[in-house]
Amino acid sequence: MVFNSQKVLGRTGLKVGRLGVGSSYGAPAEAFEEAFERGCNYFYWGSMRKTGMCQAIKNICRKGKRDELIVVIQSYSRSAFLLQVFYRRALKLLALDHADILLLGWYRKKPSQRILNKVQAMKKRGMFRFLALSSHNRRLFPELAQEDIFDIFHIRYSAAHRGAESETFPYLEGENRPGIVSYTATRWGQLLREKNMPPSESPPEASDCYRFVLSHPAVDVCLTGPKNLQQMQEAFRTLDLGPLGDDELERMRNIGDHIRG
């Protein structure tokens, strides 16, 4: 088994590549366009919106491939009015009339009813297709899943942050389950630093971290944050190598426990 084939993103029906790409770290347009050609079509226009992804989205759309692209626009706004203002501004920058996913970012509890009313109105106007939410509160996701408001959850998960394996993933199963996208697979780079390793252990590659995340059957997409073309191409090794073996999984868990401890 490899990760080259696309997967259905939960109940959305969207076909996604197993690696998603984030806009925040400065990779050039060519890196994102190469990712798209490799089937990585989940484009996360996050909090730091560098020009590389913006240009790549425009280039891909000019080639007539908008329907193959999944554009995610994130908002941290707690103001219903400003949420829509900033969202429209993001669409204008990307030269799009709608995004595929609106992501409400970094909530510790259920969003206010004002926010929910606003996003439902935006959805009815065709401004986006599916609603997503991110949080560091793992127990929030099973609660919200019962209310059927959100189509996708962005969940922190890595070899050093494995709480979702017991607190979240088992409660998000079944035919109507939300799509699951993981982030911080490298724990902000800490899983890659030699000084953080257990004695006599060499640091893993970024692709090892992505493979660890995608080896869990609950995860549909693992987000990457490439700074350059070289980092993007290192991430592609994830697609070719596929899931980690049992020994590799155990090694990653040991490294994660050491860093976490």
Side-chain angles (χ1 to χ4, degrees), residues 79-172:
S79 159
F81 172 75
L82 291 177
L83 187 156
Q84 181 168 306
V85 170
F86 294 148
Y87 183 83
R88 286 187 183 279
R89 188 176 299 170
L91 287 179
K92 186 175 181 179
L93 281 171
L94 296 171
L96 297 176
D97 59 4
H98 75 281
D100 300 282
I101 298 164
L102 168 58
L103 171 63
L104 302 183
W106 213 12
Y107 277 81
R108 290 291 301 171
K109 59 183 181 179
K110 180 179 174 180
S112 71
Q113 196 58 49
R114 290 195 321 279
I115 292 289
L116 293 177
N117 290 343
K118 174 60 71 174
V119 298
Q120 289 305 321
M122 291 166 63
K123 184 177 182 180
K124 285 181 181 178
R125 289 199 294 273
M127 296 175 70
F128 68 94
R129 299 167 63 194
F130 300 101
L131 185 61
L133 180 133
S134 72
S135 177
H136 284 186
N137 179 7
R138 293 185 294 260
R139 293 185 175 90
L140 177 63
F141 298 111
E143 295 175 16
L144 292 179
Q146 296 182 27
E147 299 190 41
D148 235 18
I149 299 170
F150 296 93
D151 306 294
I152 300 151
F153 291 135
H154 277 219
I155 300 173
R156 181 175 64 168
Y157 178 57
S158 71
H161 290 122
R162 303 199 301 276
E165 294 175 356
S166 59
E167 296 175 355
T168 308
F169 295 156
Y171 305 100
L172 303 177

Side-chain angles (χ1 to χ4, degrees), residues 16-29:
V16 289
R18 304 305 305 280
L19 285 177
V21 289
S23 64
S24 299
Y25 297 92

Side-chain angles (χ1 to χ4, degrees), residues 187-197 203-204 259:
R187 201 181 191 239
W188 306 285
Q190 293 176 19
L191 284 163
L192 310 178
R193 295 173 189 156
E194 189 167 359
K195 67 178 184 178
N196 294 340
M197 293 302 106
I259 291 174

Side-chain angles (χ1 to χ4, degrees), residues 33 39 59 70 84 140 146 150 196-197 202 208 215 224:
E33 291 179 63
N59 292 344
I70 298 170
Q84 181 168 306
L140 177 63
Q146 296 182 27
F150 296 93
N196 294 340
M197 293 302 106
S202 58
D208 296 324
S215 293
T224 64

Side-chain angles (χ1 to χ4, degrees), residues 167-186:
E167 296 175 355
T168 308
F169 295 156
Y171 305 100
L172 303 177
E173 298 178 340
E175 290 185 6
N176 196 43
R177 73 170 182 84
I180 296 178
V181 178
S182 78
Y183 61 94
T184 64
T186 68

